[in-house]
Every structure is written in structure tokens, then in C-alpha cells.
Amino acid sequence: QVQLVESGGGLVQPGGSLTLSCAASGSIRSIGTMGWYRQAPGKERELVADITAGGRTNYGDSAEGRFTITRNNAKNTVYLQMNSLEPEDTAVYYCYANAVLWVDGSSWSSPDKYWGQGTHVTVSS
């Protein structure tokens, strides 16, 4: 199994910054792309950003130019640095990881997407 634990959410004023972290642990053989989605009340979940194991990044329209995604492969951790936050950024932020798991000592699973429990980000004065 895989556990993804997010941290760093909270309340911030407009124009402020937050950094989210998401650490994956468990019977992990390898992790490919990791990333962040968010879901605001009454809206669909949308991609914020993702990053491949090799460091190639991709950003959603709302994040381009304001957010930066990075990762530490040795720690199986992905980060989201969010700057110039706006009230429209208020949402629950979910991290995910495409991971291959050890089934036993010599075999492994097919890649699958695993999700964190979500962390709340509120941008308000």
C-alpha cells in the first residue's frame, strides 16, 4: 500500500504565499509522475501542476507563472510553492503519485494513481 500525506495548507491573505508538501510512503518500488489537483466548492477537480520523475513540469492555467512544483525523489516528496495567492485559489489541494508497488520480494504491481487526503487552502483577508 501507499500513503500520501500532505501538509502546509492553511489560511493566507491575498498576495501571500504557501508551500504544500506531500510525502509518499509504503511498499513503493518506483514513482513516476507526481502532482497536485485542487477542488473548490461547487467546482470540478482541476490540475494544478505535475512533475515527472525526471523533473519535467506541467502547469494548469491557474498556476502558470505563480506556482512552482518541485520534488525530491530520494524522499518521495513533491512540493508546491504558491505565490501571489488569490481568493480564487481557495480549495482543497490533493496530491497524487503514479506508483509501482512491491507485491512481494520479487514481483510488483502495475502502475496506479494514488491520492492524498487533501489539505485546505483558504485565501482571505
Side-chain angles (χ1 to χ4, degrees), residues 2-7 21-26 28 31 34 36 75-79 95 97 116-117:
V2 175
Q3 296 80 41
L4 277 76
V5 179
E6 297 133 333
S7 60
S21 300
C22 174
S25 62
I28 299 169
I31 297 181
M34 302 182 77
W36 296 89
K75 296 182 177 180
N76 289 336
T77 300
V78 63
Y79 307 93
C95 74
Q117 79 285 356

Side-chain angles (χ1 to χ4, degrees), residues 47-118:
L47 173 71
V48 179
D50 57 39
I51 183 168
T52 66
R56 187 173 68 248
T57 59
N58 173 54
Y59 293 93
D61 291 340
S62 62
E64 192 74 53
R66 298 187 299 131
F67 296 178
T68 302
I69 188 169
T70 57
R71 65 189 283 172
N72 183 324
N73 290 334
K75 296 182 177 180
N76 289 336
T77 300
V78 63
Y79 307 93
L80 185 68
Q81 171 69 42
M82 303 186 293
N83 298 325
S84 303
L85 284 162
E86 305 166 348
E88 293 72 26
D89 296 314
T90 295
V92 180
Y93 285 69
Y94 299 90
C95 74
Y96 78 90
N98 291 329
V100 175
L101 308 185
W102 288 107
V103 175
D104 57 34
S106 60
S107 61
W108 51 88
S109 69
S110 300
D112 204 351
K113 181 174 283 186
Y114 298 88
W115 293 90
Q117 79 285 356

